[in-house]
């Protein structure tokens, strides 16, 4: 019986840390998006979270990330198709690189949606619980997360499109 006490206790602590620790989990749907103001590559302030008059797709990405690169055409398509209906696509580059490197990448890939390069990258990762790339959120006009996803696949596009259509219709 004694041989099982310590391993059982350690297993219980591990489960507790996995399921209770919010820092390790990505933000979830129906949760308010934390508020933060970033600056985009054009020098404009971009407010994330809180009540707004638009629906947001937030993409936390890096230039070196293969799935992030694969998502760019989809995000550009969302921007082109839905911007006039009230959708704002915001890419938050978490490269640990320079703004000039991100700017060159954005220009080369003809990305016309809003791109921010935060100076406080570790704070952004902590606040938005970024543990992998890309991390995407669709946020409604009340600042509530309606979609939360880690990674990118073409199969997930249909889900994101439905969430956007439903959210814009409200």
């Amino acid at each position: 019986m004694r041989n099982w006490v310590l391993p059982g206790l350690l297993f219980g602590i591990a489960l507790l840390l996995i399921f209770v620790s919010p820092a390790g989990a990505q933000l979830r749907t129906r949760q308010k998006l934390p508020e933060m103001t970033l600056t985009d590559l054009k020098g404009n302030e971009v407010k994330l979270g809180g009540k707004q008059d638009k629906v947001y797709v937030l993409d936390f990405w890096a230039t070196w990330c293969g799935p992030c690169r694969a998502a760019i055409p989809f995000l550009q398509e969302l921007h082109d198709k839905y911007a006039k209906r009230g959708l704002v696509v915001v890419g938050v580059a978490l490269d640990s690189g320079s703004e000039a490197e991100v700017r060159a990448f954005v220009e080369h890939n003809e990305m016309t949606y809003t791109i921010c390069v935060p100076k406080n990258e570790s704070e952004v990762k902590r606040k938005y619980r970024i543990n992998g790339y890309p991390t995407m959120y669709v946020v409604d006009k009340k600042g509530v997360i309606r979609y939360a996803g880690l990674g990118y696949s073409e199969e997930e596009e249909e889900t994101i499109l439905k969430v956007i259509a439903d959210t814009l219709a409200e």
Side-chain angles (χ1 to χ4, degrees), residues 39-92:
T39 304
D40 70 12
L41 290 175
K42 296 176 183 175
N44 301 313
E45 283 193 350
V46 178
K47 182 182 174 214
L48 304 179
K51 281 186 135 184
Q52 306 216 28
D53 61 344
K54 306 224 182 248
V55 173
Y56 282 77
V57 173
L58 302 178
D59 175 42
F60 295 89
W61 65 287
T63 59
W64 47 263
C65 165
C68 300
R69 290 185 201 175
I72 291 170
F74 175 64
L75 294 166
Q76 186 62 52
E77 180 182 329
L78 291 176
H79 169 72
D80 294 343
K81 187 173 182 180
Y82 294 103
K84 290 182 181 171
R85 292 186 49 203
L87 180 74
V88 178
V89 178
V90 178
V92 182

Side-chain angles (χ1 to χ4, degrees), residues 36-159:
M36 182 177 273
T37 301
L38 301 175
T39 304
D40 70 12
L41 290 175
K42 296 176 183 175
N44 301 313
E45 283 193 350
V46 178
K47 182 182 174 214
L48 304 179
K51 281 186 135 184
Q52 306 216 28
D53 61 344
K54 306 224 182 248
V55 173
Y56 282 77
V57 173
L58 302 178
D59 175 42
F60 295 89
W61 65 287
T63 59
W64 47 263
C65 165
C68 300
R69 290 185 201 175
I72 291 170
F74 175 64
L75 294 166
Q76 186 62 52
E77 180 182 329
L78 291 176
H79 169 72
D80 294 343
K81 187 173 182 180
Y82 294 103
K84 290 182 181 171
R85 292 186 49 203
L87 180 74
V88 178
V89 178
V90 178
V92 182
L94 299 172
D95 273 64
S96 298
S98 75
E99 187 176 306
E101 291 168 333
V102 173
R103 184 182 304 279
F105 181 89
V106 166
E107 289 173 6
H108 176 76
N109 289 282
E110 299 176 357
M111 299 161 69
T112 61
Y113 53 92
T114 302
I115 301 294
C116 300
V117 181
K119 299 189 183 344
N120 52 347
E121 188 174 309
S122 61
E123 181 184 352
V124 170
K125 285 180 180 179
R126 181 191 53 75
K127 195 169 207 171
Y128 295 101
R129 298 189 187 156
I130 308 303
N131 296 311
Y133 300 112
T135 295
M136 290 188 200
Y137 298 115
V138 175
V139 183
D140 69 17
K141 295 175 185 179
K142 296 175 186 171
V144 175
I145 298 169
R146 302 293 293 273
Y147 170 87
L150 175 60
Y152 169 77
S153 69
E154 290 182 7
E155 293 79 25
E156 199 62 16
E157 289 179 7
E158 190 173 314
T159 301

